[in-house]
Amino acid sequence: MGLATCGIAAGADRVYAALESAIRKQEHNIQLRRVGCIGYCREEPLVNIHLPGKPLVILHRVTEADTGRILHAAATGDVPRDLALCRINAWDPIVGDKLVFGTGFEDIPAYETTPYFAPQQKIVLRSAGLINPEDIDEYFAVGGYTALHKAITEMSPADVVHEVIISGLRGRGGAGFPTGLKWNFTKEEQSLRKYIICNADEGDPGAYMNRNEMESDPHMILEGMLIGAYAIGAREGVIYVRAEYPLAIERLTAAISQAQRHGLLGENIFGTDFSFSVTIAGGAGAFVCGEETALIASIEGQTGRPRPRPPFPAQKGLWGMPTNINNVETWSNIPVIIHRGGKWFSGIGVPENSGTKVFSLVGEVECVGLAEVPLGTSIRTLVFDIGNGGLRGKAIKAVQTGGPSGGCIPASLFDTPLDYAHLTEVGSIMGSGGVVVMGTETSMVDTARFFIGFTDEESCGKCVPCREGLKHMLMILDKILAGRASVADIEILEELSGLIRKTSLCGLGQTAPNPVLTTLRYFRNEYEALVERSRSS
Amino acid sequence: MIRVVINGKACTAEKGESLLSVARRKGIDIPAFCYEETLAPYGACRMCLVEVVKGAQEGITTACTLAAAEGLEVLTQTSEIVSLRRALIELYLAQAPRSEAIRALAQRYGIQKTRFARKVRPDDPLQNRCILCGLCVRICHDVMGAGAINYIGRGHFTEINTPFYEESAVCMGCGACARVCPTQAIAFEDIVQTRTMKSWSGTRVPLHACSKCGRHFAPAPFVNYARQKLAPDLQQTPLRLCPDCRSREIARKAVLLSTGAAVAD
């Protein structure tokens, strides 16, 4: 039973309870397990059913009323066809041996031919929705912690960093800085204490990749951090998770204590000199705390406000010590890179953009969910092949990528590849991977207003362009939407956008005007129509 | 010592020194509100924008947070910087419409009025002059070690005051906050034996009386704080007296000494 927050919201916990009590009452020889989420939010609640020798069958939109016939069919070696979404004959968890489920049920579509899954390539979500995130044994069964073993018993820290450098992995938190180079900065610092941090303060509206990664496969993140700590020379790590993710915190906490019990966290791991411990720090609801210097301030108990860089955290980070911070998804890629090699990883995606990226596809799109595709995949493939186009067949006007710091990309540019450089070229950013689809009825001025409203509310208030500039941008956008603005107001809006972008202290401010700049670039007519209206009235 | 070039002029500097400090020593005018030499660079007011034409971080950055390095070349008054600064001043005029310091700077930059909606709160304890530069918060915490005031809220809702807007138990009434404030936003008042920090939730601090003339001349907690900082043999005498009595006392001793008379305390 898929039991991540998304599934639970769709009623999966009630279905789980119904299945559990029915199995107990009817004394079926059926084992019921929790798994994370395979990423197809639209079809939840999802139940994976595996009968010996048969493929794993994913049942979708399961309700409590269905539990009786699911169990009845299972008892007779079958699955209810009307609930079957697809079947998986075998699965490659990338790190461990191939999982072979079985054959049969040929009339159920294969996972590989299901439109939602076909274009996807699961590297980060390699086990999400297939293993129990609360059971370390299931993580072992998919090759868990073997990459760690390889790193600390067969490789030097320099080898590990080298492997990450040649993999070409870039930070998945938004800015896309090469991970191996970042590690090397902290590795080269001479210090008695160093820290690593996992940034799990995911806060973009409509983005929930990291939540699923933590809820579905928490050990993958711990293993990535362990390998990173070994490479960098850190003995302590912190996972900074937003408090709005209680289930992620619960599963990470459980994963940490299981890893401790197995000697995978603590002193002398695998009998070597390498020791490492991890603690969890909860956020308090400030978006700006995803910025690394504000995040560090928050862990230290100070107000979550960014400070100027340099000094970078690699030189002076948590408690003044060299610190390496990576996003959840960045850490998730590390075990794969160590297991398969940097060269293998660099072959996925496109040059300068190796690997995959998990996108949360939301908004007015038919198939809402988390989709993992190789970098360089076009927006069209994501929105039309995986997402199956607009909601209820409606036309799509634009997508907004990169959260509130991103931009709106019009449908005419949907052949743009999803990679760092191309998204920047069209005025948006990769960001953490949120993709909000907008239909033709959406007002782009209103969309811009929503995102400026968000960043205005989340601005920490330290530097004047972000604090005061966004406030005035919001006031002007309200004026335009109310039909009380003039052409001069659009010009002031443009000037403020430039000012905030050029003079803000941190990334939040520097990117905050992007939704306005891109909507002015691609949908200026909508602004002008509103201004025209005010002139004629 | 190293060499940096500001507006084509060669200047000597300590390696790592704030470029703003180098420029000011040379008499090059760069406006700044949130900079104070005794505190770490903060980079909040964004007024000291300069353009790095040669150096590690090329492009526009703040001079206060820019570390002097050999061969660094910056420009402080390009047309782009001036226009960005002008726009920032307009934002300040709207945020702190009662500040004379901001108005004076605006005048120097030829700005008659702001295009942005002005924020005026009749009951603002900071007299509609605060620009949230944070100097008061930092001097109180980082230098005085009191931490009586801090930011409340976030974004443009940010205010500076005491926790829960209650009288502060840790404020020493030293007035360092008011002294560093670039816009004279912080008000306090001495009436007989009490100092009232009007901007800080009406925090009251007793004033210390001169042991000679009886005049209340300095906040008592601050007198105690300062006394602790002195060497043990100096802790007793000088601070009991107000500045006037202390001058007279010193003069009296000097005159007596010159006449060769014995001097009693």
Side-chain angles (χ1 to χ4, degrees), chain A residues 175-211:
Chain A
F177 192 81
T179 305
L181 288 181
K182 195 172 184 181
W183 284 19
N184 214 34
F185 293 143
T186 314
K187 181 180 181 294
E188 294 302 315
E189 288 290 320
Q190 299 299 315
S191 173
L192 286 174
R193 283 167 80 188
K194 293 179 189 176
Y195 292 97
I196 59 168
I197 295 174
C198 173
N199 185 348
D201 192 51
E202 181 173 61
D204 291 357
Y208 54 102
M209 300 73 53
N210 294 167
R211 177 181 59 67

Side-chain angles (χ1 to χ4, degrees), chain A residues 262-333:
Chain A
H262 284 78
L264 295 163
L265 281 172
E267 300 294 310
N268 305 107
I269 294 164
F270 291 132
T272 65
D273 292 341
F274 174 60
S275 303
F276 183 65
S277 63
V278 174
T279 49
I280 292 175
F287 178 71
V288 73
C289 288
E291 196 279 342
E292 57 183 15
T293 59
L295 186 154
I296 288 171
S298 174
I299 295 176
E300 290 175 347
Q302 301 175 44
T303 317
R305 292 179 137 207
R307 61 159 177 78
R309 300 175 301 180
F312 288 92
Q315 297 137 10
K316 222 167 167 253
L318 184 59
W319 311 116
M321 300 293 165
T323 302
N324 179 75
I325 305 186
N326 287 124
N327 171 265
V328 171
E329 197 170 319
T330 313
W331 291 118
S332 302
N333 277 297

Side-chain angles (χ1 to χ4, degrees), chain A residues 358-372:
Chain A
V358 183
F359 291 97
S360 67
L361 191 57
V362 298
E364 294 181 280
V365 63
E366 187 63 30
C367 298
V368 170
L370 288 177
E372 181 173 1

Side-chain angles (χ1 to χ4, degrees), chain B residues 96-107:
Chain B
R98 299 265 188 271
S99 165
E100 271 151 39
I102 301 288
R103 272 191 246 159
L105 188 69
Q107 213 155 43

Side-chain angles (χ1 to χ4, degrees), chain A residues 32-357:
Chain A
L32 181 64
R33 292 256 197 282
R34 299 157 184 275
V35 293
C37 176
I38 202 159
Y40 203 173
C41 303
R42 176 181 192 256
E43 300 300 328
E44 284 186 300
L46 297 168
V47 174
N48 304 344
I49 182 154
H50 182 226
L51 302 164
K54 298 285 186 187
L56 183 83
V57 177
I58 301 178
L59 307 180
H60 64 138
R61 302 200 177 200
V62 179
T63 63
E64 288 159 274
D66 297 323
T67 53
R69 57 197 189 97
I70 292 171
L71 294 175
H72 180 75
T76 58
D78 206 357
V79 292
R81 288 298 190 277
D82 60 318
L83 292 175
L85 174 71
C86 65
R87 67 182 154 85
I88 301 172
N89 289 28
W91 185 264
D92 181 8
I94 315 288
V95 177
D97 296 333
K98 210 167 189 180
L99 302 173
V100 179
F101 293 109
T103 52
F105 297 145
E106 300 288 331
D107 55 322
I108 298 171
Y111 170 89
E112 295 78 11
T113 61
T114 308
Y116 183 78
F117 293 116
Q120 297 198 43
Q121 184 176 4
K122 304 251 184 175
I123 305 269
V124 171
L125 301 176
R126 53 191 176 272
S127 309
L130 295 171
I131 61 166
N132 182 351
E134 296 171 10
D135 187 348
I136 195 170
D137 286 334
E138 296 206 11
Y139 186 64
F140 290 144
V142 289
Y145 292 106
T146 53
L148 172 68
H149 186 264
K150 179 181 173 184
I152 65 179
T153 60
E154 296 170 28
M155 298 168 80
S156 70
D159 292 340
V160 174
V161 172
H162 178 71
E163 215 56 52
V164 177
I165 287 173
I166 62 171
S167 77
L169 175 66
R170 294 170 65 171
R172 297 294 192 242
F177 192 81
T179 305
L181 288 181
K182 195 172 184 181
W183 284 19
N184 214 34
F185 293 143
T186 314
K187 181 180 181 294
E188 294 302 315
E189 288 290 320
Q190 299 299 315
S191 173
L192 286 174
R193 283 167 80 188
K194 293 179 189 176
Y195 292 97
I196 59 168
I197 295 174
C198 173
N199 185 348
D201 192 51
E202 181 173 61
D204 291 357
Y208 54 102
M209 300 73 53
N210 294 167
R211 177 181 59 67
N212 189 38
E213 287 146 16
M214 293 184 281
E215 289 179 353
S216 295
D217 202 353
H219 285 286
M220 146 182 94
I221 297 151
L222 293 182
E223 186 176 3
M225 290 179 75
L226 274 152
I227 294 168
Y230 171 72
I232 288 160
R235 285 179 52 97
E236 285 170 75
V238 181
I239 305 176
Y240 186 87
V241 199
R242 64 194 313 227
E244 292 89 333
Y245 284 173
L247 187 60
I249 293 174
E250 189 185 311
R251 290 189 177 159
L252 283 166
T253 308
I256 289 171
S257 68
Q258 289 166 6
Q260 283 166 342
R261 275 204 301 281
H262 284 78
L264 295 163
L265 281 172
E267 300 294 310
N268 305 107
I269 294 164
F270 291 132
T272 65
D273 292 341
F274 174 60
S275 303
F276 183 65
S277 63
V278 174
T279 49
I280 292 175
F287 178 71
V288 73
C289 288
E291 196 279 342
E292 57 183 15
T293 59
L295 186 154
I296 288 171
S298 174
I299 295 176
E300 290 175 347
Q302 301 175 44
T303 317
R305 292 179 137 207
R307 61 159 177 78
R309 300 175 301 180
F312 288 92
Q315 297 137 10
K316 222 167 167 253
L318 184 59
W319 311 116
M321 300 293 165
T323 302
N324 179 75
I325 305 186
N326 287 124
N327 171 265
V328 171
E329 197 170 319
T330 313
W331 291 118
S332 302
N333 277 297
I334 301 301
V336 175
I337 291 169
I338 297 304
H339 183 79
R340 289 277 179 109
K343 197 160 179 304
W344 176 84
F345 189 87
S346 70
I348 301 163
V350 289
E352 310 286 312
N353 295 271
S354 54
T356 57
K357 178 79 197 78

Side-chain angles (χ1 to χ4, degrees), chain A residues 284-288 303 305-310 456-465 467-472 474-476 492 495-496 498-499 502-506 510, chain B residues 41-47 49 57 60-62 65 80 83-85 87-88 90-92 94-95 115-119 130-134 150-151 153-158:
Chain A
F287 178 71
V288 73
T303 317
R305 292 179 137 207
R307 61 159 177 78
R309 300 175 301 180
D456 173 60
E457 199 171 305
E458 295 296 339
S459 164
C460 78
K462 179 168 174 175
C463 74
V464 66
R467 179 186 70 229
E468 302 298 322
L470 287 174
K471 177 180 85 177
H472 293 296
L474 190 63
M475 287 163 77
I476 294 169
I492 297 177
E495 188 189 332
L496 275 174
L499 177 77
K502 285 182 194 154
T503 66
S504 289
L505 169 63
C506 82
Q510 288 158 9
Chain B
Y42 198 55
C45 80
R46 313 314 278 175
M47 287 307 295
L49 294 172
Q57 305 166 258
I60 291 176
T61 188
T62 45
T65 58
E80 187 181 16
S83 78
L84 291 172
R85 223 176 254 159
L88 292 174
E90 280 193 70
L91 290 177
Y92 280 127
Q95 187 198 358
R115 288 168 293 169
F116 306 118
R118 292 160 16 123
K119 180 177 94 176
C130 176
I131 55 164
L132 294 168
C133 73
N150 212 324
Y151 305 104
R154 191 164 68 198
H156 66 262
F157 299 104
T158 310

